Coordinates of all heavy atoms in Angstrom, one line a residue:
H1 N 10.1 146.9 -19.7 CA 11.0 145.8 -19.9 C 11.5 145.9 -21.4 O 10.8 146.3 -22.3 CB 10.3 144.5 -19.8 CG 9.9 144.2 -18.4 ND1 8.9 144.8 -17.7 CD2 10.5 143.4 -17.5 CE1 8.8 144.3 -16.4 NE2 9.7 143.5 -16.3
A2 N 12.8 145.5 -21.5 CA 13.4 145.5 -22.9 C 14.2 144.2 -23.0 O 15.0 143.9 -22.0 CB 14.2 146.7 -23.0
F3 N 14.0 143.5 -24.1 CA 14.9 142.4 -24.4 C 15.7 142.8 -25.6 O 15.3 142.9 -26.7 CB 14.1 141.1 -24.7 CG 13.4 140.5 -23.5 CD1 12.2 141.0 -23.0 CD2 14.0 139.3 -23.0 CE1 11.6 140.4 -21.9 CE2 13.4 138.8 -21.9 CZ 12.2 139.3 -21.4
V4 N 17.0 143.1 -25.3 CA 17.9 143.7 -26.3 C 19.3 143.1 -26.3 O 19.7 142.5 -25.3 CB 18.0 145.2 -26.1 CG1 16.6 145.9 -26.2 CG2 18.6 145.6 -24.7
S5 N 19.9 143.3 -27.4 CA 21.3 142.8 -27.5 C 22.2 143.8 -26.7 O 21.9 144.9 -26.5 CB 21.8 142.8 -29.0 OG 21.7 144.1 -29.5
A6 N 23.4 143.3 -26.3 CA 24.3 144.1 -25.5 C 25.1 145.0 -26.5 O 26.2 144.7 -26.9 CB 25.2 143.2 -24.7
S7 N 24.4 146.1 -26.7 CA 24.9 147.1 -27.7 C 24.4 148.5 -27.3 O 24.0 148.7 -26.2 CB 24.4 146.8 -29.1 OG 23.0 146.9 -29.1
T8 N 24.6 149.4 -28.1 CA 24.1 150.8 -27.8 C 22.5 150.7 -27.6 O 22.1 151.6 -26.8 CB 24.4 151.8 -29.0 OG1 23.9 151.3 -30.2 CG2 25.9 152.0 -29.1
V9 N 21.9 149.7 -28.1 CA 20.4 149.6 -27.8 C 20.2 149.3 -26.4 O 19.3 149.9 -25.7 CB 19.8 148.5 -28.7 CG1 18.3 148.3 -28.4 CG2 20.0 148.7 -30.2
L10 N 21.1 148.5 -25.7 CA 21.0 148.3 -24.3 C 21.3 149.6 -23.5 O 20.5 149.9 -22.6 CB 22.0 147.2 -23.9 CG 22.2 146.9 -22.4 CD1 20.9 146.5 -21.7 CD2 23.3 145.9 -22.1
I11 N 22.2 150.3 -23.9 CA 22.6 151.5 -23.2 C 21.4 152.5 -23.3 O 21.1 153.1 -22.3 CB 23.9 152.2 -23.8 CG1 25.1 151.2 -23.5 CG2 24.1 153.5 -23.2 CD1 26.3 151.6 -24.3
E12 N 20.8 152.6 -24.4 CA 19.7 153.6 -24.6 C 18.5 153.0 -23.8 O 17.8 153.8 -23.2 CB 19.3 153.7 -26.1 CG 18.2 154.7 -26.3 CD 18.5 156.1 -26.0 OE1 19.6 156.5 -25.9 OE2 17.5 156.8 -25.7
S13 N 18.2 151.7 -23.8 CA 17.1 151.2 -23.1 C 17.3 151.4 -21.6 O 16.3 151.8 -20.9 CB 17.0 149.7 -23.4 OG 16.7 149.4 -24.7
Y14 N 18.4 151.2 -21.1 CA 18.8 151.4 -19.7 C 18.6 152.9 -19.4 O 18.0 153.3 -18.3 CB 20.1 150.9 -19.4 CG 20.5 151.1 -17.9 CD1 20.0 150.2 -16.9 CD2 21.3 152.2 -17.5 CE1 20.3 150.4 -15.6 CE2 21.5 152.3 -16.1 CZ 21.0 151.5 -15.2 OH 21.3 151.6 -13.8
S15 N 19.0 153.8 -20.2 CA 19.0 155.2 -19.9 C 17.5 155.7 -19.9 O 17.2 156.7 -19.4 CB 19.8 156.0 -21.0 OG 19.0 156.1 -22.2
R16 N 16.6 155.0 -20.5 CA 15.2 155.3 -20.5 C 14.5 154.7 -19.3 O 13.3 154.9 -19.1 CB 14.5 154.7 -21.8 CG 15.1 155.3 -23.1 CD 15.0 156.8 -23.3 NE 13.6 157.2 -23.4 CZ 13.1 158.4 -23.2 NH1 14.0 159.4 -23.0 NH2 11.9 158.7 -23.4
G17 N 15.2 154.0 -18.4 CA 14.7 153.5 -17.2 C 14.0 152.2 -17.3 O 13.3 151.8 -16.4
L18 N 14.3 151.4 -18.4 CA 13.7 150.1 -18.6 C 14.4 149.1 -17.8 O 15.6 149.1 -17.6 CB 13.6 149.8 -20.0 CG 12.8 150.7 -20.9 CD1 13.0 150.3 -22.4 CD2 11.4 150.7 -20.5
K19 N 13.7 148.0 -17.4 CA 14.3 146.8 -16.8 C 14.8 146.0 -18.0 O 14.0 145.6 -18.9 CB 13.3 146.0 -16.0 CG 13.9 144.8 -15.4 CD 12.9 144.0 -14.6 CE 12.7 144.7 -13.3 NZ 11.9 143.8 -12.4
C20 N 16.1 145.8 -18.2 CA 16.7 145.2 -19.3 C 17.1 143.8 -19.2 O 17.8 143.4 -18.2 CB 17.9 146.0 -19.8 SG 17.4 147.7 -20.2
F21 N 16.8 143.0 -20.1 CA 17.2 141.6 -20.3 C 18.1 141.7 -21.5 O 17.7 142.1 -22.6 CB 16.1 140.7 -20.5 CG 15.2 140.5 -19.4 CD1 14.2 141.5 -19.1 CD2 15.3 139.5 -18.5 CE1 13.4 141.4 -18.0 CE2 14.4 139.3 -17.4 CZ 13.5 140.3 -17.1
T22 N 19.3 141.2 -21.4 CA 20.3 141.3 -22.5 C 21.1 140.1 -22.8 O 21.2 139.2 -22.0 CB 21.3 142.5 -22.3 OG1 22.0 142.8 -23.5 CG2 22.2 142.2 -21.1
G23 N 21.5 140.0 -24.0 CA 22.3 138.9 -24.5 C 23.3 139.4 -25.5 O 23.3 140.6 -25.9
Y24 N 24.0 138.5 -26.1 CA 24.9 138.8 -27.2 C 24.8 137.7 -28.3 O 24.4 136.6 -28.1 CB 26.4 139.0 -26.7 CG 26.8 137.7 -25.9 CD1 27.4 136.7 -26.6 CD2 26.6 137.6 -24.6 CE1 27.9 135.5 -26.0 CE2 27.0 136.4 -23.9 CZ 27.6 135.4 -24.6 OH 28.0 134.3 -23.9
Y25 N 25.3 138.1 -29.5 CA 25.4 137.2 -30.6 C 26.6 137.3 -31.4 O 26.9 136.5 -32.3 CB 24.1 137.2 -31.5 CG 23.8 138.5 -32.1 CD1 24.3 138.9 -33.3 CD2 23.0 139.4 -31.4 CE1 24.0 140.2 -33.8 CE2 22.6 140.6 -31.9 CZ 23.2 141.0 -33.1 OH 22.8 142.2 -33.6
V26 N 27.4 138.3 -31.1 CA 28.8 138.5 -31.6 C 29.7 138.8 -30.5 O 29.4 139.4 -29.4 CB 28.8 139.6 -32.8 CG1 28.0 139.1 -33.9 CG2 28.3 140.9 -32.2
N27 N 31.0 138.5 -30.7 CA 32.0 138.7 -29.6 C 32.2 140.1 -29.2 O 32.4 140.4 -28.0 CB 33.4 138.2 -30.1 CG 33.4 136.7 -30.1 OD1 32.6 136.0 -29.5 ND2 34.3 136.1 -30.9
N28 N 32.0 141.1 -30.1 CA 32.2 142.5 -29.6 C 31.1 143.0 -28.7 O 31.2 144.1 -28.1 CB 32.4 143.5 -30.8 CG 31.2 143.6 -31.7 OD1 30.2 142.9 -31.5 ND2 31.2 144.6 -32.6
Q29 N 30.1 142.3 -28.4 CA 29.0 142.7 -27.5 C 29.3 142.1 -26.1 O 28.7 142.6 -25.2 CB 27.6 142.1 -28.0 CG 27.2 142.7 -29.3 CD 25.9 142.2 -29.8 OE1 25.6 141.0 -29.5 NE2 25.2 142.9 -30.6
K30 N 30.2 141.2 -26.0 CA 30.5 140.6 -24.7 C 31.0 141.6 -23.6 O 30.6 141.5 -22.5 CB 31.6 139.5 -24.8 CG 31.1 138.2 -25.4 CD 30.4 137.3 -24.3 CE 31.5 136.8 -23.3 NZ 30.9 136.5 -22.0
F31 N 31.7 142.6 -24.0 CA 32.3 143.6 -23.0 C 31.1 144.4 -22.4 O 31.1 144.5 -21.2 CB 33.2 144.5 -23.8 CG 33.8 145.6 -22.9 CD1 34.8 145.3 -22.0 CD2 33.4 146.9 -23.0 CE1 35.3 146.3 -21.1 CE2 33.9 147.9 -22.1 CZ 34.9 147.6 -21.2
I32 N 30.2 144.8 -23.2 CA 29.0 145.6 -22.7 C 28.2 144.7 -21.9 O 27.7 145.0 -20.8 CB 28.2 146.2 -23.9 CG1 29.0 147.3 -24.5 CG2 26.9 146.8 -23.3 CD1 28.4 147.9 -25.8
Y33 N 27.9 143.4 -22.4 CA 27.1 142.5 -21.7 C 27.7 142.2 -20.3 O 27.0 142.2 -19.3 CB 27.1 141.1 -22.5 CG 26.4 140.0 -21.8 CD1 25.1 139.8 -21.9 CD2 27.2 139.1 -21.1 CE1 24.4 138.8 -21.2 CE2 26.6 138.0 -20.4 CZ 25.2 137.8 -20.5 OH 24.6 136.8 -19.8
D34 N 29.0 141.9 -20.2 CA 29.6 141.5 -19.0 C 29.6 142.7 -18.0 O 29.3 142.5 -16.8 CB 31.1 141.2 -19.2 CG 31.3 139.8 -19.8 OD1 30.3 139.0 -19.9 OD2 32.4 139.6 -20.4
G35 N 29.8 143.9 -18.5 CA 29.7 145.1 -17.6 C 28.3 145.3 -17.0 O 28.1 145.5 -15.8
F36 N 27.3 145.3 -17.8 CA 25.9 145.5 -17.4 C 25.4 144.4 -16.4 O 24.8 144.7 -15.4 CB 25.0 145.6 -18.6 CG 24.8 147.0 -19.0 CD1 25.7 147.7 -19.8 CD2 23.6 147.7 -18.7 CE1 25.5 149.0 -20.2 CE2 23.4 149.0 -19.2 CZ 24.4 149.6 -19.9
V37 N 25.8 143.1 -16.8 CA 25.3 142.0 -15.9 C 26.1 142.1 -14.6 O 25.5 141.9 -13.5 CB 25.5 140.6 -16.6 CG1 25.3 139.5 -15.7 CG2 24.6 140.7 -17.8
H38 N 27.5 142.3 -14.6 CA 28.2 142.3 -13.4 C 27.8 143.5 -12.4 O 27.7 143.3 -11.2 CB 29.7 142.6 -13.7 CG 30.6 142.7 -12.5 ND1 30.9 141.7 -11.7 CD2 31.2 143.8 -12.0 CE1 31.7 142.1 -10.7 NE2 31.9 143.4 -10.9
E39 N 27.4 144.6 -13.0 CA 26.9 145.7 -12.2 C 25.4 145.7 -11.8 O 24.9 146.6 -11.3 CB 27.3 147.1 -12.9 CG 28.7 147.4 -13.1 CD 29.5 147.5 -11.8 OE1 28.9 148.0 -10.8 OE2 30.7 147.0 -11.7
K40 N 24.8 144.6 -12.2 CA 23.4 144.3 -12.0 C 22.5 145.4 -12.6 O 21.5 145.8 -12.0 CB 23.1 144.2 -10.5 CG 23.9 143.0 -9.8 CD 23.5 142.8 -8.4 CE 24.2 141.8 -7.7 NZ 24.7 140.6 -8.2
M41 N 23.0 145.9 -13.8 CA 22.1 146.9 -14.5 C 21.3 146.2 -15.5 O 20.4 146.9 -16.1 CB 23.1 147.9 -15.2 CG 23.9 148.7 -14.2 SD 25.3 149.6 -14.9 CE 24.6 150.6 -16.1
A42 N 21.5 144.9 -15.7 CA 20.7 144.2 -16.7 C 20.7 142.7 -16.3 O 21.7 142.3 -15.6 CB 21.2 144.3 -18.1
I43 N 19.7 142.0 -16.7 CA 19.7 140.5 -16.5 C 20.3 139.8 -17.7 O 19.8 140.0 -18.9 CB 18.2 140.1 -16.2 CG1 17.8 140.8 -14.9 CG2 18.1 138.6 -16.1 CD1 16.3 140.8 -14.8
G44 N 21.3 139.0 -17.5 CA 22.0 138.3 -18.6 C 21.3 137.1 -19.1 O 20.8 136.3 -18.3
L45 N 21.1 137.0 -20.4 CA 20.6 135.8 -21.0 C 21.6 135.0 -21.8 O 21.3 134.0 -22.3 CB 19.5 136.3 -22.0 CG 18.3 137.0 -21.4 CD1 17.4 137.5 -22.5 CD2 17.5 136.1 -20.4
G46 N 22.8 135.5 -21.8 CA 23.9 134.8 -22.4 C 23.9 134.9 -23.9 O 23.4 135.9 -24.5
D47 N 24.4 133.9 -24.6 CA 24.4 133.9 -26.0 C 23.1 133.7 -26.7 O 22.4 132.7 -26.5 CB 25.4 132.7 -26.5 CG 25.8 132.7 -27.9 OD1 24.9 133.3 -28.7 OD2 26.8 132.2 -28.3
F48 N 22.6 134.7 -27.4 CA 21.3 134.6 -28.0 C 21.1 133.4 -28.9 O 20.0 133.0 -29.2 CB 21.0 135.9 -28.8 CG 20.5 137.0 -27.9 CD1 20.5 138.3 -28.3 CD2 19.8 136.8 -26.7 CE1 20.1 139.4 -27.6 CE2 19.3 137.8 -25.9 CZ 19.4 139.1 -26.3
R49 N 22.2 132.9 -29.5 CA 22.2 131.8 -30.4 C 21.8 130.5 -29.7 O 21.3 129.6 -30.3 CB 23.5 131.6 -31.2 CG 23.8 132.9 -32.1 CD 25.2 132.8 -32.5 NE 26.1 133.0 -31.4 CZ 27.4 133.2 -31.5 NH1 28.0 133.1 -32.7 NH2 28.1 133.3 -30.4
L50 N 21.9 130.5 -28.3 CA 21.6 129.4 -27.6 C 20.3 129.5 -26.7 O 20.0 128.6 -26.0 CB 22.8 129.0 -26.7 CG 24.1 128.8 -27.3 CD1 25.2 128.7 -26.3 CD2 24.1 127.7 -28.3
L51 N 19.7 130.7 -26.9 CA 18.5 131.0 -26.1 C 17.3 130.1 -26.3 O 17.1 129.7 -27.5 CB 18.1 132.5 -26.4 CG 17.1 133.2 -25.4 CD1 17.8 133.3 -24.0 CD2 16.9 134.6 -25.9
N52 N 16.6 129.7 -25.3 CA 15.5 128.9 -25.4 C 14.4 129.3 -24.4 O 14.7 130.1 -23.5 CB 15.8 127.4 -25.4 CG 16.5 127.0 -24.1 OD1 16.0 127.5 -23.0 ND2 17.5 126.2 -24.1
N53 N 13.2 128.7 -24.4 CA 12.1 129.1 -23.5 C 12.6 128.8 -22.0 O 12.2 129.6 -21.2 CB 10.9 128.2 -23.8 CG 10.2 128.7 -25.1 OD1 10.5 129.9 -25.5 ND2 9.4 127.9 -25.7
T54 N 13.3 127.8 -21.8 CA 13.7 127.5 -20.4 C 14.6 128.6 -19.9 O 14.4 129.0 -18.7 CB 14.5 126.1 -20.4 OG1 13.6 125.1 -20.9 CG2 14.9 125.7 -18.9
S55 N 15.6 129.1 -20.7 CA 16.5 130.1 -20.1 C 15.8 131.4 -20.0 O 16.1 132.2 -19.0 CB 17.7 130.2 -21.0 OG 17.3 130.5 -22.4
I56 N 14.8 131.7 -20.8 CA 14.0 132.9 -20.6 C 13.1 132.8 -19.4 O 13.1 133.8 -18.6 CB 13.1 133.2 -21.9 CG1 14.0 133.5 -23.1 CG2 12.1 134.3 -21.6 CD1 13.2 133.6 -24.4
T57 N 12.5 131.7 -19.1 CA 11.7 131.5 -18.0 C 12.5 131.6 -16.7 O 12.1 132.2 -15.7 CB 11.0 130.1 -18.0 OG1 10.2 130.1 -19.2 CG2 10.1 129.9 -16.8
Y58 N 13.7 131.1 -16.7 CA 14.6 131.1 -15.6 C 15.0 132.6 -15.3 O 15.0 133.0 -14.1 CB 15.9 130.3 -15.8 CG 16.9 130.3 -14.7 CD1 16.6 129.6 -13.6 CD2 18.0 131.1 -14.7 CE1 17.5 129.6 -12.5 CE2 18.9 131.2 -13.7 CZ 18.6 130.4 -12.6 OH 19.6 130.5 -11.5
A59 N 15.4 133.3 -16.3 CA 15.8 134.7 -16.1 C 14.6 135.5 -15.6 O 14.8 136.4 -14.7 CB 16.2 135.3 -17.5
L60 N 13.4 135.3 -16.1 CA 12.2 136.1 -15.6 C 11.9 135.8 -14.1 O 11.5 136.6 -13.4 CB 11.0 135.8 -16.4 CG 11.0 136.4 -17.8 CD1 9.9 135.8 -18.7 CD2 11.0 137.9 -17.8
S61 N 12.2 134.5 -13.7 CA 11.8 134.1 -12.3 C 13.0 134.4 -11.4 O 12.7 134.4 -10.1 CB 11.4 132.7 -12.3 OG 12.5 131.9 -12.7
N62 N 14.2 134.7 -11.8 CA 15.3 135.0 -11.0 C 15.9 136.4 -11.3 O 17.1 136.5 -11.4 CB 16.4 133.9 -11.2 CG 15.8 132.5 -10.7 OD1 15.6 132.4 -9.5 ND2 15.7 131.6 -11.6
Q63 N 15.1 137.4 -11.2 CA 15.6 138.7 -11.6 C 16.5 139.3 -10.5 O 17.4 140.1 -10.9 CB 14.4 139.6 -11.9 CG 13.6 139.2 -13.1 CD 12.4 140.1 -13.4 OE1 12.5 141.3 -13.0 NE2 11.4 139.5 -13.9
G64 N 16.3 138.9 -9.3 CA 17.2 139.5 -8.2 C 17.1 141.0 -8.1 O 16.1 141.7 -8.7
E65 N 18.1 141.6 -7.5 CA 18.1 143.0 -7.4 C 18.8 143.7 -8.5 O 20.0 143.4 -8.8 CB 18.9 143.4 -6.1 CG 18.1 143.0 -4.8 CD 16.8 143.7 -4.6 OE1 16.8 144.9 -4.9 OE2 15.8 143.1 -4.2
L66 N 18.1 144.6 -9.2 CA 18.8 145.3 -10.3 C 19.0 146.7 -9.9 O 18.2 147.3 -9.2 CB 17.9 145.3 -11.6 CG 17.8 144.0 -12.3 CD1 16.8 144.1 -13.5 CD2 19.1 143.6 -12.8
S67 N 20.0 147.3 -10.4 CA 20.4 148.8 -10.2 C 19.6 149.5 -11.3 O 20.1 149.8 -12.4 CB 21.8 149.0 -10.4 OG 22.6 148.2 -9.4
L68 N 18.4 149.8 -11.1 CA 17.5 150.5 -12.0 C 17.6 152.0 -11.9 O 17.7 152.5 -10.7 CB 16.1 150.1 -11.9 CG 15.8 148.6 -12.3 CD1 14.4 148.2 -12.0 CD2 16.2 148.2 -13.7
L69 N 17.6 152.7 -13.0 CA 17.4 154.2 -12.9 C 15.9 154.4 -12.5 O 15.0 153.8 -13.0 CB 17.6 154.8 -14.3 CG 19.1 154.8 -14.7 CD1 19.2 155.4 -16.1 CD2 20.0 155.6 -13.8
H70 N 15.7 155.4 -11.6 CA 14.4 155.7 -11.1 C 13.8 156.8 -12.0 O 12.6 157.0 -12.0 CB 14.4 156.2 -9.7 CG 14.8 155.1 -8.8 ND1 14.0 153.9 -8.6 CD2 16.0 154.8 -8.1 CE1 14.7 153.1 -7.7 NE2 15.9 153.7 -7.4
T71 N 14.6 157.5 -12.8 CA 14.1 158.4 -13.8 C 14.9 158.2 -15.1 O 16.1 157.9 -15.1 CB 14.3 159.9 -13.3 OG1 15.6 160.1 -13.1 CG2 13.4 160.1 -12.1
S72 N 14.2 158.5 -16.2 CA 14.9 158.4 -17.5 C 16.0 159.5 -17.6 O 15.8 160.6 -17.0 CB 13.8 158.5 -18.6 OG 14.4 158.8 -19.8
L73 N 17.0 159.2 -18.3 CA 18.0 160.2 -18.5 C 17.6 161.2 -19.6 O 18.3 162.2 -19.7 CB 19.4 159.5 -19.0 CG 20.0 158.6 -18.0 CD1 21.3 158.0 -18.6 CD2 20.3 159.4 -16.7
L74 N 16.5 160.9 -20.3 CA 16.0 161.9 -21.3 C 17.1 162.3 -22.3 O 17.3 163.5 -22.6 CB 15.3 163.1 -20.7 CG 14.2 162.8 -19.7 CD1 13.8 164.0 -19.0 CD2 13.0 162.2 -20.5
S75 N 17.8 161.4 -22.8 CA 19.0 161.7 -23.6 C 18.6 162.5 -24.9 O 19.3 163.5 -25.2 CB 19.7 160.4 -24.1 OG 18.8 159.6 -24.8
G76 N 17.5 162.3 -25.5 CA 17.1 163.1 -26.7 C 16.8 164.5 -26.3 O 17.3 165.5 -26.9
H77 N 16.1 164.7 -25.2 CA 15.8 166.0 -24.7 C 17.2 166.7 -24.3 O 17.4 167.9 -24.6 CB 14.9 166.0 -23.5 CG 14.7 167.3 -22.8 ND1 13.9 168.2 -23.3 CD2 15.2 167.8 -21.7 CE1 13.9 169.3 -22.5 NE2 14.7 169.0 -21.5
N78 N 18.1 166.0 -23.6 CA 19.3 166.6 -23.2 C 20.2 167.0 -24.4 O 20.9 168.1 -24.3 CB 20.1 165.7 -22.3 CG 19.4 165.5 -20.9 OD1 18.6 166.3 -20.5 ND2 19.6 164.4 -20.3
I79 N 20.2 166.2 -25.4 CA 21.0 166.6 -26.6 C 20.4 167.8 -27.3 O 21.2 168.7 -27.6 CB 21.1 165.3 -27.6 CG1 21.9 164.2 -27.0 CG2 21.6 165.7 -28.9 CD1 21.8 162.9 -27.7
L80 N 19.1 167.9 -27.4 CA 18.5 169.0 -28.1 C 18.8 170.3 -27.2 O 19.1 171.3 -27.8 CB 17.0 168.8 -28.2 CG 16.2 169.9 -28.8 CD1 16.7 170.2 -30.2 CD2 14.7 169.6 -28.8
E81 N 18.7 170.2 -25.9 CA 19.0 171.3 -25.0 C 20.4 171.8 -25.2 O 20.7 173.0 -25.2 CB 18.7 170.9 -23.6 CG 18.6 172.1 -22.6 CD 18.1 171.6 -21.3 OE1 16.9 171.6 -21.1 OE2 19.0 171.3 -20.5
S82 N 21.4 170.8 -25.3 CA 22.8 171.2 -25.5 C 23.0 172.0 -26.7 O 23.7 172.9 -26.8 CB 23.6 169.9 -25.4 OG 23.6 169.3 -24.2
F83 N 22.4 171.5 -27.9 CA 22.5 172.2 -29.1 C 21.9 173.5 -29.1 O 22.5 174.5 -29.7 CB 21.9 171.3 -30.3 CG 22.9 170.3 -30.8 CD1 22.6 168.9 -30.6 CD2 24.0 170.6 -31.6 CE1 23.5 168.0 -31.1 CE2 24.9 169.7 -32.1 CZ 24.6 168.4 -31.8
Q84 N 20.8 173.7 -28.5 CA 20.2 175.0 -28.4 C 21.0 176.0 -27.5 O 21.2 177.1 -27.9 CB 18.8 174.9 -27.7 CG 17.8 174.2 -28.6 CD 16.5 173.9 -28.0 OE1 16.4 173.8 -26.7 NE2 15.4 173.8 -28.8
S85 N 21.7 175.4 -26.5 CA 22.6 176.2 -25.7 C 23.8 176.7 -26.5 O 24.2 177.8 -26.5 CB 23.0 175.5 -24.5 OG 24.0 176.2 -23.7
L86 N 24.4 175.8 -27.3 CA 25.5 176.1 -28.1 C 25.1 177.1 -29.2 O 25.9 178.1 -29.5 CB 26.1 174.8 -28.8 CG 26.8 173.9 -27.9 CD1 27.1 172.6 -28.7 CD2 28.1 174.5 -27.5
A87 N 23.9 177.0 -29.8 CA 23.5 177.9 -30.8 C 23.3 179.3 -30.3 O 23.6 180.3 -30.9 CB 22.2 177.4 -31.5
A88 N 22.8 179.4 -29.0 CA 22.6 180.7 -28.4 C 23.9 181.4 -28.2 O 24.0 182.6 -28.3 CB 21.8 180.5 -27.1
R89 N 24.9 180.6 -27.8 CA 26.3 181.2 -27.6 C 26.9 181.7 -28.9 O 27.7 182.6 -28.9 CB 27.2 180.1 -27.0 CG 26.9 179.8 -25.6 CD 28.0 179.0 -25.0 NE 27.4 178.1 -24.0 CZ 28.0 177.0 -23.5 NH1 29.2 176.7 -23.9 NH2 27.4 176.3 -22.6
C90 N 26.5 181.1 -30.0 CA 27.1 181.5 -31.3 C 26.5 182.8 -31.9 O 27.0 183.4 -32.8 CB 27.0 180.3 -32.4 SG 28.0 178.9 -31.9
N91 N 25.3 183.1 -31.4 CA 24.6 184.3 -31.9 C 25.1 185.6 -31.4 O 25.6 185.9 -30.5 CB 23.1 184.2 -31.7 CG 22.5 183.1 -32.5 OD1 23.0 182.8 -33.6 ND2 21.4 182.5 -32.0

């Protein structure tokens, strides 16, 4: 599980196969928030500035069906592998 802001941290958490709870605290995070919540890739908590125990309890009890990755995307491993492949071509 991950409780994260709707930012690149959310994208990375999702790519690691975590069940994500997300919210926003600045306007530029709303686009990512809306996309992840609409596609059921994360559970929306809304504006973090208004978050309270009741809204967290509600989100935990009403998780519904999420589109979870069944395996991690292993982004760090994939990036390293890509650089190694590029380096081999340069030699």
Side-chain angles (χ1 to χ4, degrees):
H1 289 76
F3 286 80
V4 295
S5 62
S7 64
T8 56
V9 177
L10 171 59
I11 296 167
E12 183 64 24
S13 298
Y14 182 78
S15 75
R16 302 298 293 165
L18 298 175
K19 182 181 282 189
C20 298
F21 295 79
T22 190
Y24 54 89
Y25 55 90
V26 292
N27 287 340
N28 67 348
Q29 294 174 335
K30 281 277 291 156
F31 180 75
I32 294 173
Y33 174 86
D34 289 341
F36 268 78
V37 172
H38 176 73
E39 295 297 325
K40 298 183 184 333
M41 296 164 60
I43 297 162
L45 298 173
D47 189 332
F48 276 158
R49 296 168 292 186
L50 305 174
L51 195 62
N52 59 42
N53 288 340
T54 303
S55 56
I56 292 172
T57 301
Y58 179 79
L60 288 171
S61 63
N62 293 296
Q63 294 177 31
E65 294 294 319
L66 287 178
S67 302
L68 297 175
L69 291 176
H70 296 290
T71 59
S72 167
L73 295 180
L74 301 172
S75 58
H77 173 77
N78 292 339
I79 290 169
L80 180 60
E81 195 173 270
S82 294
F83 276 108
Q84 289 171 338
S85 174
L86 286 170
R89 287 188 214 167
C90 293
N91 290 334

